[in-house]
Amino acid sequence: MAINDLPMLAALRSKMQWHQERQRVLAENISNSSTPNFRPRDLVEPQFDQKGGSVGGTTTLAMTRTSGSHMGSSTPGPSFRHDGGRSGFLTRPAGNAVNLEDQMLKVSANQMDYAAATTLYSRSLGLIKTAIGKR
C-alpha cells in the first residue's frame, strides 16, 4: 500500500479538492454579481466517517478488469454537488441574489480551511515518513 492510499490522506485530498472547486464556484458568484437573474451557488460539504470514507453521498466503485480483452475504465475525478441555489437569500429587483459581503466571507473562510487541510496533509505525510525512517 502506498503512503498516499491511506484513508485519512485520501479524505484530506478529497477535502482539498472540494475547497478548490468551491473557490471556483464562489469566484463565479462574485464575477456574476451584476448579472440579471443570477442565483449564487455553493457546494454541499462532503461528509466522512471515522475511517475516511465518504458518508451520505454516492460512492463510486472501481471497475475490475477480469479479462485482457476488456476495455480499461477511466475513473472520473470527484464530482461535488451544488446546493441548488439555496445560499441566495436576498434577491434584487433585477433578479440577482448575490450578496458580495456574504460571498467574500465564504471565500476567506474557504481559504483558511484549505490552508488547514494542506497543513494537516503535509504534516501527516511528514509523520509517516519519520515513522518509517525516510526522514
Side-chain angles (χ1 to χ4, degrees):
M1 173 186 262
I3 290 175
N4 289 335
D5 292 339
L6 293 173
M8 181 186 73
L9 295 179
L12 283 171
R13 267 195 318 273
S14 177
K15 183 78 169 165
M16 289 187 297
Q17 289 171 342
W18 179 82
H19 283 297
Q20 289 172 343
E21 181 67 17
R22 185 173 190 223
Q23 192 73 11
R24 186 193 63 76
V25 169
L26 293 174
E28 185 178 292
N29 290 345
I30 291 170
S31 67
N32 287 307
S33 64
S34 60
T35 304
N37 297 322
F38 182 81
R39 298 249 179 234
R41 297 184 306 166
D42 204 350
L43 299 180
V44 177
E45 189 166 0
Q47 301 292 320
F48 300 101
D49 61 8
Q50 293 293 332
K51 295 180 181 178
S54 64
V55 173
T58 58
T59 58
T60 58
L61 298 174
M63 298 284 289
T64 303
R65 194 170 179 181
T66 58
S67 171
S69 62
H70 291 168
M71 292 175 33
S73 66
S74 61
T75 56
S79 62
F80 301 106
R81 297 174 290 139
H82 291 281
D83 71 346
R86 289 188 298 268
S87 59
F89 61 92
L90 177 66
T91 304
R92 296 187 197 137
N96 189 308
V98 177
N99 182 350
L100 285 176
E101 292 84 10
D102 183 43
Q103 296 299 312
M104 293 306 290
L105 285 172
K106 287 180 182 181
V107 165
S108 63
N110 191 52
Q111 287 174 335
M112 289 188 296
D113 291 344
Y114 180 80
T118 55
T119 301
L120 277 172
Y121 187 81
S122 62
R123 289 191 180 176
S124 297
L125 278 179
L127 285 172
I128 291 170
K129 287 179 181 178
T130 301
I132 63 174
K134 297 270 183 173
R135 221 187 220 190

